[in-house]
Amino acid sequence: SQDRPTETPLDVAEPDVVEPVAAVADVVAPTVVQLETATGVGSGVIYDPDGLVLTAAHVVEGSTQVDVRLADGSVLPGEVLGADTDSDIGVVAVDPEGRELAVAVLADEVPDVGDLAVAVGSPFALDQTVTAGIVSALDRPAPPGGPTVGTLQTDAPINPGNSGGPLANRNGEVIGIASYIQSQTGGNIGLGFAVPVDIAERVADA
């Protein structure tokens, strides 16, 4: 959509941005939603003012309708428009019902290894949870069972329920969609994988 925001949410040169993770969370969290399906809970991020939500395909796979909990706690019905299992990207549509939705800004530059990475989502159904780390590697093959595209590896804590939520840079721009973790315990051990936002956007538009 031509109406998607493009202006960087944060200016890191501003002297008042002294807590970068808090500043990122402040602008990203309002765009993050919790998705509830018949089989579980995942996350998503509003990327278009018309009510389009980016998420992970495995969150909505097998569903046609989901409940979408906005950051303010209100719940809207969502329609699953599509899901691509190879890239693990799905799209859900909600009717804004006349309200102005908070919309995330998608990054147009590839991050560097070592850049700040802030994840927002619903690990274990705890909505609006913020975690932070760095970009650990670029174009990393995900473990078996994950997306087949090259991913952003991060040590920002990601747990079940984070899937579909955004990974953001210090400018408050979305750099990836949380997809998969590698773990021997089922919980975070610092190996999370996100689909790069350029791939996610391209798949979503298709």
Side-chain angles (χ1 to χ4, degrees):
S1 168
Q2 298 294 325
D3 296 329
R4 292 181 200 163
T6 57
E7 186 174 337
T8 302
L10 292 173
D11 180 358
V12 295
E14 288 293 326
D16 58 343
V17 183
V18 292
E19 292 288 353
V21 174
V24 171
D26 190 48
V27 298
V28 174
T31 73
V32 178
V33 300
Q34 183 182 79
L35 302 179
E36 185 173 351
T37 73
T39 57
V41 171
S43 305
V45 59
I46 301 169
Y47 75 105
D48 188 285
D50 290 335
L52 297 181
V53 176
L54 268 174
T55 187
H58 74 265
V59 169
V60 295
E61 193 173 8
S63 301
T64 57
Q65 303 290 325
V66 297
D67 287 333
V68 180
R69 181 181 299 276
L70 303 180
D72 65 5
S74 58
V75 179
L76 298 175
E79 178 187 359
V80 179
L81 297 186
D84 178 68
T85 54
D86 286 341
S87 63
D88 196 26
I89 291 298
V91 178
V92 173
V94 297
D95 181 353
E97 297 178 353
R99 75 184 76 192
E100 186 174 340
L101 298 174
V103 181
V105 177
L106 307 184
D108 56 10
E109 293 186 6
V110 177
D112 292 323
V113 172
D115 280 356
L116 179 71
V118 178
V120 187
S122 297
F124 300 104
L126 299 170
D127 67 317
Q128 294 293 307
T129 295
V130 177
T131 57
I134 62 170
V135 175
S136 303
L138 302 176
D139 199 23
R140 181 76 84 192
T148 60
V149 298
T151 65
L152 300 178
Q153 182 184 329
T154 182
D155 67 349
I158 290 174
N159 286 287
N162 271 111
S163 291
L167 192 68
N169 63 20
R170 68 181 295 122
N171 296 323
E173 300 165 318
V174 176
I175 57 174
I177 299 298
S179 172
Y180 197 77
I181 61 171
Q182 187 167 8
S183 172
Q184 295 175 319
T185 64
N188 170 69
I189 59 169
L191 291 174
F193 302 89
V195 178
V197 75
D198 60 328
I199 295 176
E201 185 179 17
R202 189 164 65 243
V203 171
D205 286 345

